[in-house]
Amino acid sequence: EPTEDLLRQFVSQRYGEQQTSPPEILVPVAPSDLELLAEILSESRGTVVKIGVPEKGEKRRLVELAARNAEAALQDEDRLDSARGELLESLRRRLDLVRIPRRIECFDISTFQGAFAVGSCVAFLDGRPDKSRYRRYRVRTVVGQDDFASIREVISRRLVRGRMEGDLPDLIVIDGGRPQLDAALEVLRREGTPGVEMIALAKARRGDRAIGRFGSRERVVKPEVLAPIVLEQSS
């Protein structure tokens, strides 16, 4: 799209009704419908809002500085994306996964006063939290404290919905050890969801050789692999 149209969209979204417009906005080129846009922002603010394209002086230097800052921020984001890609590939190799875990969902079961069980899910996309996919599941079919039955219910609901909507993660992480993983794997195999891998994440136990001078290290439990994978604390 033309730069003028993009600027009009950005300014109207950034300083629309939900925002407070400043009295003066400096831009590198004039947005399309400049006068109408200034009129709308002035009405929203209650006083005159000027939109200017400075050609020289301090205001022009401010616009140029903003452009340099934006370019630097974009380059930083590109470098971070590259680093995250390398990190996810190293995680795939370390955990011996079939594919890069771009989408990860982690599940935990909490019980309140031994009676009310709740499942929680946090999600990650390309190594960053994806809060739009965070979920809380009220366990419906389990009476009393039964973590394994609760895990089975929560994972079943997630997989059934995901299969229907074509929306499944690459990797599911279960909070707990081998028994919790086995309970979740029952559901994974029953529901027939190829392409979804599953591991469990547990703290090392006292007396475990994985505990060093820096305290407990995480142990990754994998299906059909007896020895857990021990991740260094700084990994």
Side-chain angles (χ1 to χ4, degrees):
E1 294 183 65
T3 301
E4 296 83 355
D5 291 348
L6 291 173
L7 267 176
R8 176 182 54 77
Q9 292 175 36
F10 171 75
V11 171
S12 61
Q13 290 173 17
R14 176 66 181 84
Y15 301 113
E17 293 181 1
Q18 303 303 318
Q19 300 283 345
T20 300
S21 300
E24 185 175 18
I25 299 172
L26 306 177
V27 289
V29 297
S32 58
D33 300 328
L34 173 62
E35 293 181 2
L36 177 60
L37 181 58
E39 183 179 332
I40 292 172
L41 294 179
S42 297
E43 185 176 337
S44 175
R45 178 180 169 85
T47 58
V48 174
V49 173
K50 297 179 181 179
I51 303 176
V53 186
E55 296 183 358
K56 60 182 179 180
E58 181 63 25
K59 291 183 178 180
R60 182 62 192 176
R61 285 192 289 273
L62 283 173
V63 171
E64 292 171 349
L65 176 62
R68 289 197 298 273
N69 287 344
E71 185 175 4
L74 183 61
Q75 291 173 351
D76 286 344
E77 188 65 24
D78 286 343
R79 283 193 291 269
L80 283 173
D81 284 342
S82 176
R84 278 189 285 265
E86 293 172 4
L87 181 67
L88 288 172
E89 170 58 23
S90 68
L91 182 64
R92 185 198 68 78
R93 292 194 304 267
R94 184 72 180 89
L95 301 183
D96 193 25
L97 301 173
V98 173
R99 59 184 179 180
I100 294 175
R102 293 190 62 242
R103 284 187 53 193
I104 302 174
E105 293 184 5
C106 311
F107 290 84
D108 184 24
I109 301 294
S110 301
T111 305
F112 179 67
Q113 293 183 348
F116 303 102
V118 175
S120 300
C121 170
V122 295
F124 298 86
L125 178 62
D126 290 332
R128 291 185 286 187
D130 185 2
K131 294 189 177 181
S132 66
R133 291 181 174 275
Y134 283 21
R135 296 288 184 272
R136 183 169 294 156
Y137 298 81
R138 188 170 183 177
V139 176
R140 302 166 180 163
T141 62
V142 181
V143 178
Q145 187 169 355
D146 188 336
D147 285 352
F148 306 125
S150 298
I151 287 172
R152 282 190 286 266
E153 178 189 326
V154 169
I155 297 299
S156 177
R157 287 162 58 183
R158 173 64 184 98
L159 293 179
V160 168
R161 178 179 63 82
R163 193 177 64 242
M164 292 174 58
E165 299 176 358
D167 176 32
L168 291 166
D170 300 309
L171 178 66
I172 289 178
V173 181
I174 303 295
D175 182 65
R178 180 75 57 188
Q180 287 84 355
L181 177 61
D182 288 343
L185 283 170
E186 284 182 34
V187 180
L188 185 67
R189 291 160 180 157
R190 184 184 72 215
E191 297 298 339
T193 47
V196 179
E197 296 184 82
M198 188 175 286
I199 61 174
L201 190 63
K203 294 286 188 183
R205 296 164 297 196
R206 292 195 175 279
D208 194 310
R209 281 183 291 177
I211 295 182
R213 64 190 181 93
F214 297 110
S216 297
R217 296 176 183 172
E218 304 290 354
R219 298 180 304 145
V220 176
V221 182
K222 290 202 62 185
E224 301 174 1
V225 178
L226 293 179
I229 299 172
V230 179
L231 299 178
E232 294 291 338
Q233 193 168 19
S234 60
S235 168

